Amino acid sequence: MKKHNFSAGPCILPQEVLKKASEAVANFDGIDLSLIEISHRSKEFVAVMEKARSLVKELLNLPEGYSVLFLGGGASLEFLMTPYNLLKVDGKAAYLDTGTWSKKAIKEAKLLGKIDVVASSSDKTYNYIPKNYSIPSDIDYFHCTSNNTIFGTQLKEFPKTDAMLVCDMSSDIFSREIDFTQFDLIYAGAQKNMGPAGTTLVVVKDEILGKTGRTIPSMLDYQIHISKDSMFNTPPVFPVYVSMLTLQWLKDLGGINAIEKINEEKAALLYTEIDRNPLFKGFAAKEDRSLMNVTFNLTDDSKKEAFDKLWNAAGISGLKGHRSVGGYRASIYNAMPIESIQVLVDAMQELEK
Ligand SMILES: Cc1ncc(COP(=O)(O)O)c(C=O)c1O
């Protein structure tokens, strides 16, 4: 029996995707070669890359004028690629600081220019999303993180600004309906809702590029990657293939509209128990709670051993909170079935009994 996998990332992927991916490693599409031993320029792999990119456009409902890239280097490299490609020499950008990943993005951007941090929730261990901040008008772009994987908070709305809007969607992309055209640049590491670690999805509006006056190293230049159809260098073929399978799985399920309803139901099941059960309390402010990462603590730490025993015995894995928050974190990404969440809720109720 498989475990109930609540890992924050790399994390659960659909069972049927894992099965197809393992078959392709042995023999890809009946060509008697493995997916990972054929050229990335073969017609077979070029078709995989094209399919993956067109599924992203379809699922996010993107109009003409956006390019989709699958790059290496993780979302962490995008912390640097974003300012390289969008921040003018002598320019300025504004960032919203909502957690560890925002902070890391700010640190990299500061290497290249002036960065205004418009608001931060660091005063309360990032357990809420700052509101009512103002965004300066003299900036090249505004950067935010849609979902704070470690702290379990999520932006429910995105600010309106005349500047370019950039978003790190690593831990909630493809999980809820958003007007994706409000963004000029979106990036997301694959290893939550898309595939294995090793590739990063970048969605960028073509018209914003090439305007900084900077010399950009080739590997960091979005325009070069676009001109080479994400094949400037050898792309991470296996992560791209598995991402394509996951995106197809999502499309077959009914797309983002369908998964959003399931995600809301799953999160409601767990948050309702956290609020009802006197032995638990939620970490994140209620109005900012994430649908993807549910952070919570015991009200009485002396129950820790008993609770840990219960969920371990129930076959649950990956529930330990991040070291900077403590407590527990249940990551309930797209591929997590509601049945696994019920198993966790049962363990919480068992502790109460
Ligand atoms: C919101 C967010 N941004 C960025 C990252 C960093 O991603 P990577 O490890 O792919 O560089 C993570 C990783 O968990 C994340 O959750």
Side-chain angles (χ1 to χ4, degrees):
M1 196 193 82
K2 280 266 300 186
K3 290 209 165 170
H4 303 284
N5 182 5
F6 286 85
S7 169
C11 63
I12 188 165
L13 287 172
Q15 280 302 299
E16 65 186 72
V17 165
L18 294 180
K19 186 167 176 291
K20 279 188 195 156
S22 62
E23 284 165 8
V25 169
N27 183 355
F28 177 49
D29 264 0
I31 63 169
D32 293 330
L33 289 168
S34 167
L35 169 82
I36 55 174
E37 61 177 3
I38 59 172
S39 166
H40 58 293
R41 306 210 182 273
S42 63
K43 69 176 186 333
E44 288 85 0
F45 186 75
V46 169
V48 168
M49 180 63 96
E50 276 172 11
K51 184 88 193 286
R53 288 168 44 207
S54 85
L55 280 165
V56 170
K57 284 192 176 171
E58 189 180 340
L59 287 163
L60 299 184
N61 206 7
L62 295 173
E64 285 300 305
Y66 281 89
S67 290
V68 174
L69 300 170
F70 284 92
L71 305 179
S76 298
L77 188 60
E78 301 315 310
F79 298 161
L80 184 64
M81 283 179 79
T82 298
Y84 248 120
N85 286 268
L86 303 186
L87 186 58
K88 291 201 175 85
V89 175
D90 300 328
K92 190 167 94 171
Y95 278 65
L96 181 63
D97 176 23
T98 53
T100 307
W101 300 112
S102 307
K103 226 167 108 180
K104 291 191 179 196
I106 292 165
K107 180 172 178 245
E108 299 304 304
K110 279 185 173 169
L111 295 173
L112 296 191
K114 191 165 174 350
I115 303 301
D116 261 10
V117 179
V118 292
S120 170
S121 45
S122 63
D123 57 334
K124 291 192 178 163
T125 326
Y126 295 113
N127 75 350
Y128 71 103
I129 300 289
K131 310 194 178 67
N132 302 321
Y133 51 88
S134 57
I135 299 178
S137 54
D138 60 338
I139 54 166
D140 293 329
Y141 68 88
F142 176 78
H143 179 285
C144 57
T145 311
S146 56
N147 185 70
N148 299 285
T149 326
I150 293 175
F151 303 95
T153 60
Q154 191 171 34
L155 265 73
K156 305 296 171 189
E157 280 179 7
F158 296 88
K160 303 262 173 291
T161 166
D162 290 335
M164 293 179 272
L165 187 56
V166 177
C167 191
D168 173 1
M169 290 196 190
S170 292
S171 51
D172 69 349
I173 191 146
F174 303 116
S175 69
R176 56 176 170 156
E177 283 217 285
I178 300 175
D179 173 11
F180 292 96
T181 63
Q182 69 191 295
F183 303 98
D184 295 276
L185 173 70
I186 297 168
Y187 60 87
Q191 65 271 21
K192 271 82 169 174
N193 274 337
M194 209 167 54
T199 190
T200 313
L201 171 67
V202 174
V203 172
V204 60
K205 213 185 245 180
D206 299 322
E207 66 181 31
I208 68 171
L209 298 173
K211 298 184 173 163
T212 61
R214 284 178 195 285
T215 304
I216 308 176
S218 306
M219 271 297 280
L220 304 185
D221 188 338
Y222 290 132
Q223 282 187 315
I224 288 186
H225 288 288
I226 292 169
S227 71
K228 301 289 180 193
D229 291 331
S230 272
M231 302 254 198
F232 171 65
N233 69 323
T234 314
V237 290
F238 185 69
V240 172
Y241 177 69
V242 183
S243 297
M244 185 275 281
L245 292 177
T246 312
L247 295 169
Q248 184 64 52
W249 167 84
L250 180 57
K251 183 183 164 181
D252 295 344
L253 202 107
I256 295 183
N257 180 273
I259 202 76
E260 181 178 34
K261 292 194 183 81
I262 299 170
N263 286 336
E264 280 170 351
E265 208 184 317
K266 283 162 23 185
L269 176 61
L270 187 48
Y271 283 122
T272 303
E273 179 60 18
I274 289 168
D275 292 339
R276 184 207 64 78
N277 191 325
L279 296 182
F280 296 94
K281 59 175 187 293
F283 173 77
K286 277 191 185 174
E287 72 273 18
D288 301 322
R289 283 173 163 177
S290 167
L291 293 186
M292 298 280 99
N293 308 99
V294 179
T295 45
F296 58 100
N297 297 76
L298 283 161
T299 47
D300 172 1
D301 276 340
S302 71
K303 303 273 189 305
K304 183 177 180 315
E305 205 185 321
F307 182 51
D308 290 353
K309 254 192 202 152
L310 277 170
W311 61 261
N312 272 299
I316 285 172
S317 142
L319 200 63
K320 193 166 171 283
H322 188 271
R323 59 191 176 280
S324 54
V325 181
Y328 300 94
R329 170 174 51 170
S331 296
I332 54 175
Y333 297 115
N334 284 356
M336 164 70 73
I338 196 159
E339 291 75 19
S340 292
I341 297 166
Q342 188 60 54
V343 170
L344 172 57
V345 167
D346 290 347
M348 294 163 84
Q349 293 180 350
E350 192 59 34
L351 184 72
E352 187 188 18
K353 275 188 214 147

